């Protein structure tokens, strides 16, 4: 009688380990089928004043978040009535994003609104930061936060640190982004340890993370930062973060350059090629534009 070959556990364990590893990797990858938090806007194309359309209250919350819509009676924020205030808010949005100000949800407006973007509002404390005012160069479209907050003029060296749970691969792109600004301003930057006293903290968070500006998952708000001298810069950890121009991903360095602009005091720009333009597309990289450099020098007198 032939003897049965012994059953070896090691190959089976190895195979199971590979399967588990692949399964976990798939969980960590962004789900391409997950709809964008802004995708609801596509269903509102064609809406105009006088309509009562299911889902319009979501659009009102979108415009409220970015500063365009503020009702005295907040109950109107929850209804689906396309009223005068909503039409006015859409017209202002359209002017900021170079769309004909019709006040209707036309295709061009829907395309702009559904694009991933920075979470910093375009209208802050009732001030449209994307309006061009009192600028000596006609083509300049840079902007500042209300009351022009900035770092003290004698404070030209800023220290930054990363939260300990920051992905390792994000550190080099963010370091490069700080150096991009150093090359165009009077500022210098240095990275310090996680427990050191610092001016700026870079972190990755998901959803509600305690700063009253929750993230929303893949493809909506990518990141946000606060005006001087708050020093907080947050990425949405749910996004597909990449290094370079990779289709379907968002370049860590490009987004960092944008958010550091906010940390230094710049608001959003109306120039689509500027790093401070609110929308940030996937699959691209961007650097500092002349409009960004003009803006930071105007704010700090250089």
């Amino acid at each position: 009688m032939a003897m049965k070959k012994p059953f070896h556990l090691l190959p089976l364990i190895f195979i199971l380990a590979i399967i588990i590893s692949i399964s976990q990797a798939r969980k960590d990858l962004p789900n391409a089928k997950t709809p964008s938090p802004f995708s609801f806007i596509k269903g509102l194309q064609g809406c105009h004043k006088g309509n009562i359309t299911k889902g319009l209250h979501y659009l009102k919350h979108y415009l409220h978040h970015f500063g365009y819509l503020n009702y005295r009676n907040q109950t109107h924020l929850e209804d689906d009535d396309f009223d005068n205030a909503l039409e006015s808010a859409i017209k202002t949005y359209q002017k900021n994003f170079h769309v004909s100000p019709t006040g209707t949800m036309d295709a061009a407006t829907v395309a702009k609104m559904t694009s991933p973007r920075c979470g910093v509002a375009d209208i802050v404390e009732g001030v449209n930061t994307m309006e061009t005012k009192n600028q000596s160069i006609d083509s300049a479209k840079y902007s500042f936060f209300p009351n022009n907050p900035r770092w003290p003029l004698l404070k030209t060296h800023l220290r930054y640190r990363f939260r300990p749970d920051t992905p390792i691969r994000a550190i080099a792109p963010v370091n490069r982004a700080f150096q991009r600004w150093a090359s165009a301003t009077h500022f210098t930057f240095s990275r310090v340890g996680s427990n050191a006293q610092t001016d700026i903290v870079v972190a990755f968070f998901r959803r509600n993370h305690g700063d009253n500006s929750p993230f929303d998952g893949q493809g909506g708000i990518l990141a946000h930062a606060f005006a001087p001298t708050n020093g907080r810069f947050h990425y949405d950890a749910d996004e597909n973060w990449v290094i370079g121009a990779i289709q379907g991903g968002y370049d860590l360095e490009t987004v960092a350059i944008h958010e550091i602009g906010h940390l230094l005091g710049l608001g959003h720009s109306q120039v689509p090629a500027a790093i401070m333009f609110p929308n940030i597309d996937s699959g691209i990289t961007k650097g500092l534009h002349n409009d960004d450099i003009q803006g930071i020098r105007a704010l700090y007198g250089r």
Side-chain angles (χ1 to χ4, degrees):
M1 181 176 179
M3 293 182 62
K4 292 183 179 179
K5 293 182 179 180
F7 182 76
H8 294 290
L9 286 176
L10 286 178
L12 179 59
I13 292 171
F14 180 72
I15 292 169
L16 287 173
I18 292 174
I19 293 171
I20 292 170
S21 177
I22 292 172
S23 176
Q24 186 60 48
R26 285 176 176 170
K27 288 180 182 178
D28 293 338
L29 288 172
N31 183 355
K33 295 183 179 180
T34 301
S36 161
F38 299 158
S39 61
F40 72 90
I41 295 171
K42 295 178 182 178
L44 300 175
Q45 184 168 324
C47 289
H48 54 80
K49 188 172 70 174
N51 290 158
I52 298 176
T53 305
K54 184 178 180 180
L56 268 176
H57 67 285
Y58 293 120
L59 176 63
K60 291 183 176 183
H61 278 276
Y62 174 100
L63 290 167
H64 175 76
H65 179 88
F66 295 113
Y68 291 91
L69 187 61
N70 286 289
Y71 287 106
R72 289 184 179 180
N73 184 347
Q74 290 297 302
T75 59
H76 294 307
L77 197 61
E78 305 301 334
D79 66 38
D80 289 327
D81 183 11
F82 201 126
D83 52 26
N84 289 331
L86 180 56
E87 181 187 54
S88 178
I90 292 171
K91 284 182 178 179
T92 302
Y93 178 94
Q94 290 168 328
K95 290 175 184 177
N96 281 350
F97 286 83
H98 308 288
V99 177
S100 179
T102 61
T104 65
M105 291 296 290
D106 53 41
T109 303
V110 168
K112 292 292 184 183
M113 287 187 175
T114 53
S115 295
R117 57 162 292 160
C118 170
V120 174
D122 305 327
I123 300 178
V124 182
E125 298 175 7
V127 177
N128 185 356
T129 65
M130 293 180 70
E131 279 187 331
T132 306
K133 293 181 179 180
N134 301 320
Q135 294 178 6
S136 58
I137 302 175
D138 292 339
S139 61
K141 301 293 184 181
Y142 57 79
S143 71
F144 311 131
F145 291 101
N147 302 315
N148 298 356
R150 60 184 182 179
W151 294 90
L153 292 179
L154 295 179
K155 188 174 180 60
T156 60
H157 181 73
L158 300 177
R159 293 167 296 182
Y160 65 95
R161 65 177 174 86
F162 296 90
R163 272 177 52 108
D165 55 355
T166 299
I168 296 297
R169 66 196 301 268
I171 292 175
V174 175
N175 289 342
R176 290 194 297 269
F178 276 108
Q179 293 313 306
R180 293 282 194 104
W181 279 109
S183 68
T185 67
H186 69 298
F187 286 105
T188 57
F189 304 93
S190 62
R191 178 188 170 192
V192 297
S194 59
N195 295 321
Q197 186 177 0
T198 187
D199 304 296
I200 295 167
V201 179
V202 181
F204 283 71
F205 292 110
R206 287 183 169 87
R207 303 292 178 170
N208 191 339
H209 51 282
D211 63 359
N212 294 318
S213 297
F215 287 130
D216 53 7
Q218 297 172 24
I221 293 172
L222 303 177
H224 57 228
F226 294 78
T229 52
N230 187 299
R232 288 180 291 171
F233 164 15
H234 301 158
Y235 284 99
D236 184 349
D238 281 330
E239 301 294 349
N240 183 22
W241 294 112
V242 298
I243 298 174
I246 299 175
Q247 191 60 40
Y250 301 96
D251 179 46
L252 285 157
E253 184 176 341
T254 296
V255 172
I257 299 170
H258 178 101
E259 300 305 336
I260 293 167
H262 288 317
L263 293 174
L264 297 179
L266 288 180
H268 285 146
S269 171
Q270 285 187 344
V271 177
I275 198 66
M276 296 312 297
F277 189 68
N279 291 352
I280 304 173
D281 294 329
S282 67
I284 61 100
T285 60
K286 288 174 72 174
L288 291 174
H289 183 274
N290 188 49
D291 187 72
D292 307 307
I293 296 171
Q294 288 178 18
I296 204 68
R297 292 181 177 176
L299 183 60
Y300 288 96
R302 176 189 167 189

